[in-house]
């Protein structure tokens, strides 16, 4: 399966030691994961902030094996970036879906997804929304999917023992996981972070609608 990815979600999953599990979920490998050329340079800069040398090496080797995306239409790229909360990297990934219409799209940037959903009727974004619909994972929906496969205890243990740094940690990880957190609390917390973008996400059975 082809996967288009941003760097944020990859680094955070790596920090939780969950990259292998997530790649298995997507039935993919590094030969089929594409990032932007700028993301490769950005990740190299980000991982300098990680103190754990083993994790730093693992991410470096992983990123080095990833594929880079082909060129996209620069005029369309400029148009998409005029929408609030859609940055250049995410816009590039979105446009690359035209090259890989059956790909999965994974991102840690839910503001970008909300902007896409909110402007899906705009001519520039309508085709992209249709390409992405039901093919997107954010960090929270990825974790819900992993819990469904591996169990809450397994994922909670991994996340609770994650490497803590400025680039690998995330507020939702602190809220949803930990020694005193229950499965119900975790699912509710992760689901709450998905709700604003649920219309574009890949269906996850553990997702809990707001009562």
């Amino acid at each position: 399966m082809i996967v288009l990815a941003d760097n944020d979600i990859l680094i955070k999953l790596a920090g939780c030691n969950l990259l292998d599990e997530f790649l298995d979920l997507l039935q993919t490998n590094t030969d089929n994961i594409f990032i932007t050329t700028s993301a490769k340079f950005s990740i190299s800069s980000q991982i300098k902030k990680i103190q754990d040398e083993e994790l730093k090496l693992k991410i470096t080797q992983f990123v080095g094996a990833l594929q880079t995306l082909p060129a996209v239409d620069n005029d369309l790229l400029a148009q998409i970036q005029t929408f609030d909360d859609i940055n250049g990297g995410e816009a590039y990934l979105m446009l690359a879906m035209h090259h890989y219409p059956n790909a999965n799209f994974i991102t840690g940037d839910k503001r970008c997804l909300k902007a896409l959903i909110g402007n899906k009727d705009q001519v520039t974004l309508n085709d992209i929304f249709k390409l992405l619909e039901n093919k997107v994972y954010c960090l929270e929906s990825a974790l819900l999917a992993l819990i469904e496969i591996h169990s809450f205890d397994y994922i909670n243990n991994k996340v609770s023992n994650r490497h803590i740094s400025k680039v690998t940690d995330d507020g939702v990880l602190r809220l949803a996981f930990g020694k005193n957190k229950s499965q119900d609390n975790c699912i509710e917390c992760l689901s709450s972070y998905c709700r604003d973008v649920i219309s574009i996400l890949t269906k996850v059975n553990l997702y809990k609608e707001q009562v």
Side-chain angles (χ1 to χ4, degrees):
M1 172 63 72
I2 299 292
V3 175
L4 309 188
D6 77 1
N7 52 0
D8 181 65
I9 191 169
L10 294 176
I11 290 175
K12 286 173 181 172
L13 288 170
C16 295
N17 196 22
L18 285 171
L19 263 183
D20 290 341
E21 288 86 346
F22 190 54
L23 298 195
D24 287 343
L25 166 69
L26 297 178
Q27 298 182 322
T28 195
N29 54 48
T30 52
D31 291 336
N32 293 307
I33 301 176
F34 289 78
I35 60 175
T36 65
T37 302
S38 61
K40 280 208 171 189
F41 291 108
S42 176
I43 290 177
S44 299
S45 175
Q46 285 176 289
I47 61 176
K48 291 178 182 178
K49 301 172 185 176
I50 296 173
Q51 302 302 315
D52 186 310
E53 292 300 324
E54 184 178 348
L55 175 60
K56 189 183 295 187
L57 177 61
K58 181 177 181 178
I59 295 175
T60 300
Q61 292 174 337
F62 177 79
V63 171
L66 299 183
Q67 313 308 308
T68 51
L69 288 166
V72 298
D73 187 308
N74 283 328
D75 290 336
L76 275 177
L77 183 63
Q79 289 178 45
I80 292 173
Q81 289 180 81
T82 63
F83 292 93
D84 290 343
D85 294 328
I86 299 182
N87 64 40
E90 299 297 329
Y92 200 109
L93 284 174
M94 288 177 179
L95 281 178
M97 287 293 291
H98 288 292
H99 292 290
Y100 308 103
N102 296 314
N104 278 311
F105 186 97
I106 64 173
T107 178
D109 189 346
K110 291 192 296 298
R111 290 186 307 168
C112 167
L113 297 178
K114 286 173 68 175
L116 175 59
I117 293 167
N119 293 284
K120 65 181 180 181
D121 294 328
Q122 299 292 323
V123 174
T124 313
L125 296 179
N126 186 254
D127 285 347
I128 293 173
F129 177 83
K130 290 177 179 177
L131 282 171
L132 286 173
E133 195 171 15
N134 300 318
K135 298 174 188 169
V136 178
Y137 284 94
C138 61
L139 177 63
E140 294 81 4
S141 68
L143 290 167
L144 283 170
L146 290 172
I147 291 169
E148 184 177 346
I149 294 171
H150 295 283
S151 82
F152 168 71
D153 288 341
Y154 178 88
I155 301 301
N156 189 44
N157 182 61
K158 287 262 191 173
V159 178
S160 297
N161 290 289
R162 68 191 180 279
H163 175 75
I164 305 293
S165 76
K166 189 174 182 180
V167 293
T168 57
D169 203 19
D170 190 283
V172 72
L173 300 179
R174 296 190 295 272
L175 288 171
F177 297 95
K179 292 180 180 178
N180 298 316
K181 299 297 172 62
S182 68
Q183 178 171 319
D184 287 345
N185 171 85
C186 178
I187 291 172
E188 173 58 39
C189 181
L190 295 175
S191 296
S192 70
Y193 276 81
C194 292
R195 285 184 186 124
D196 287 344
V197 295
I198 194 64
S199 63
I200 203 169
L201 297 180
T202 300
K203 182 180 178 182
V204 178
N205 290 330
L206 285 183
Y207 170 74
K208 185 177 180 181
E209 295 282 359
Q210 189 170 19
V211 178

